[in-house]
Amino acid sequence: MPKKTLNIVESAYRAVMEEQDDTILWLLAAMQVAGAEHTVVLRGNAVNYAVAGQGVPGLTVGEWKQTQAPKMDRDVLDLVEKRKIPVYVVAEDLADRGIERGELVPGVQLLGRTALPGLFAEYELVAHW
Amino acid sequence: MAQYLLIESRDPFESNDVGYYYDLAKGLVEGGNQVTLFLVQNGVLPARPSARSAALNALARNGVTVLADDFSLQERGIAKLAEGVAAAPIEVVVEHLAAGHKTLWH
Amino acid sequence: MSRKTLTIALMDPPYESENLTTAFRILEVAARRGYHINVFAYEGAAGLAFVRQTQHPNPVHGKDVAEENHPTTKDQVAALLAAAEQSGGKVDWVNCGMCVDERGVNEFVPGTRRGSPADFHAFAEASDNVLVIPTK
């Protein structure tokens, strides 16, 4: 059995346009394919990844056009639905940013800040990204 | 009187230093200058109405023109803006640069 | 109206910061307007024009190289140079020589060149305005 790993992700939108995804969520998805067992907690600014209806058409520089621009809500849905990676979103961080529960993609679970330590006991590894 | 463009790429949720930059904008206006604060990247996060957007509204009331990059807003799914904040294209930055306004990035 | 000259200093390495996405958006607007553009690529930004960057597939996205069409900064640099030329402007893109050496990224997109802080000084003196986009 793989080690159950809890990943707290807070970095947001750092390189998503250049990489066409979030490098941490990408890494976790790729590791899951290799047999890892991951859970994701979106906290801080990364809670915005769960907001439905985000994304730009792509970057344009002269004749050069980006054709596969990222959509982070789609990537969060992909984690939940296709890869069966549980995704929690810290409720207080949503509230601080004026984001309502109804704005989020389906399948993500709200988690209170005070519940986070309790979650740690269920995992063999905890990483803060 | 000088004209300034202050570009803010940081957000107040992760960086305490944003307050310094907002204060800088206010101080420049109080000194008789024209100031535009251009929010970009995660700097647009407080442009969504929340407790943190009050500081932007206060700057607007003090005479700072507060703009939020439309690309960064769309990228983050922010459609509704806090009072005192207007969406703007990146062309604004080039226009300020071309006009010779002192332009700073934070 | 005289053609404007703008200088932008970049510091972030490719593929690690949204600063570069915004920088290219600013540079693109300036190029379309036919402005003369000077870029001083310092520290990690010295790798932006490294010509050996290659696209890759993305197995997580389930896409091959063509489908993923991964953006490379060297392609964006080349496109910027072409766009400026098309509008009657020009780009003088300088890669900091010492930054390039320590990173081993000393093969550049044609039309960009190796330089030094003296170039940045000369750019600032000759420009209508300067924007420094620092790393953090």
Side-chain angles (χ1 to χ4, degrees):
Chain A
M1 288 288 288
K3 290 177 180 170
K4 285 182 68 180
T5 306
L6 183 67
N7 298 275
I8 304 165
V9 179
E10 65 179 23
S11 168
Y13 300 98
R14 182 178 55 89
V16 297
M17 288 301 294
E18 290 186 305
E19 293 289 3
Q20 305 191 140
D21 49 41
D22 176 275
T23 58
I24 307 308
L25 299 186
W26 182 92
L27 179 65
L28 300 180
M31 290 173 72
Q32 192 93 347
V33 172
E37 188 175 339
H38 286 302
T39 294
V40 169
V41 174
L42 298 175
R43 73 158 303 273
N45 287 341
V47 299
N48 202 86
Y49 281 167
V51 173
Q54 61 183 286
V56 287
L59 184 62
T60 299
V61 182
E63 299 294 313
W64 179 90
K65 293 189 193 324
Q66 183 174 28
T67 58
Q68 302 295 326
K71 295 197 182 303
M72 295 315 303
D73 54 345
R74 178 196 59 196
D75 285 4
V76 170
L77 259 180
D78 178 75
L79 291 183
V80 173
E81 292 182 350
K82 183 177 170 190
R83 303 178 193 282
K84 307 303 178 193
I85 294 178
V87 176
Y88 294 94
V89 183
V90 174
E92 290 88 343
D93 292 345
L94 287 173
D96 285 349
R97 289 160 180 78
I99 302 169
E100 305 282 346
R101 175 70 182 90
E103 296 179 64
L104 305 184
V105 295
V108 297
Q109 304 170 65
L110 292 193
L111 179 76
R113 273 181 198 151
T114 55
L116 191 56
L119 202 59
F120 281 20
E122 300 174 26
Y123 295 86
E124 293 171 84
L125 300 172
V126 181
H128 209 302
W129 299 89
Chain B
M1 181 183 73
Q3 301 208 46
Y4 290 88
L5 175 67
L6 303 188
I7 301 170
E8 178 56 284
S9 66
R10 306 183 197 189
D11 68 275
F13 304 104
E14 283 192 345
S15 172
N16 282 332
D17 234 20
V18 168
Y20 144 77
Y21 211 57
Y22 291 177
D23 288 344
L24 186 62
K26 183 167 175 275
L28 286 166
V29 162
E30 288 171 350
N33 301 291
Q34 280 192 357
V35 179
T36 298
L37 178 68
F38 188 85
L39 309 172
V40 71
Q41 300 168 194
N42 280 345
V44 304
L45 289 174
R48 179 191 272 126
S50 72
R52 296 293 184 123
S53 51
L56 296 173
N57 180 246
L59 284 178
R61 280 189 277 108
N62 278 295
V64 177
T65 302
V66 183
L67 304 176
D69 174 45
D70 54 6
F71 184 99
S72 302
L73 290 169
Q74 189 182 356
E75 187 183 6
R76 289 159 180 77
I78 301 173
K80 187 182 174 192
L81 297 182
E83 198 176 334
V85 184
I90 199 73
E91 278 82 355
V92 165
V93 173
V94 178
E95 283 159 12
H96 278 272
L97 284 168
H101 302 166
K102 293 189 178 78
T103 303
L104 294 76
W105 179 291
H106 184 244
Chain C
M1 196 174 76
S2 64
R3 198 178 292 277
K4 298 290 182 182
T5 300
L6 303 180
T7 291
I8 296 189
L10 305 174
M11 293 183 69
D12 286 292
Y15 312 112
E16 293 184 23
S17 168
E18 198 176 9
N19 284 357
L20 297 173
T21 299
T22 306
F24 275 111
R25 291 174 57 223
I26 293 169
L27 290 165
E28 208 265 349
V29 172
R32 270 196 281 113
R33 293 184 178 198
Y35 292 172
H36 294 319
I37 300 166
N38 301 316
V39 176
F40 184 65
Y42 188 53
E43 291 192 4
L48 289 167
F50 182 50
V51 80
R52 286 183 180 253
Q53 297 176 39
T54 54
Q55 292 183 314
H56 56 69
N58 195 321
V60 169
H61 296 175
K63 291 176 176 162
D64 63 20
V65 174
E67 291 166 336
E68 178 68 9
N69 193 19
H70 192 79
T72 63
T73 57
K74 59 125 176 159
D75 285 345
Q76 293 167 50
V77 171
L80 177 73
L81 267 60
E85 188 176 356
Q86 200 168 30
S87 302
K90 64 174 192 232
V91 178
D92 191 354
W93 184 294
V94 166
N95 304 299
C96 158
M98 285 186 283
C99 312
V100 158
D101 289 343
E102 63 193 5
R103 289 165 178 79
V105 290
N106 47 13
E107 295 171 69
F108 312 139
V109 168
T112 70
R113 66 184 176 94
R114 180 187 177 92
S116 74
D119 289 293
F120 185 30
H121 171 63
F123 284 164
E125 291 297 319
S127 296
D128 293 290
N129 214 336
V130 178
L131 173 63
V132 172
I133 301 182
T135 193
K136 49 185 175 191

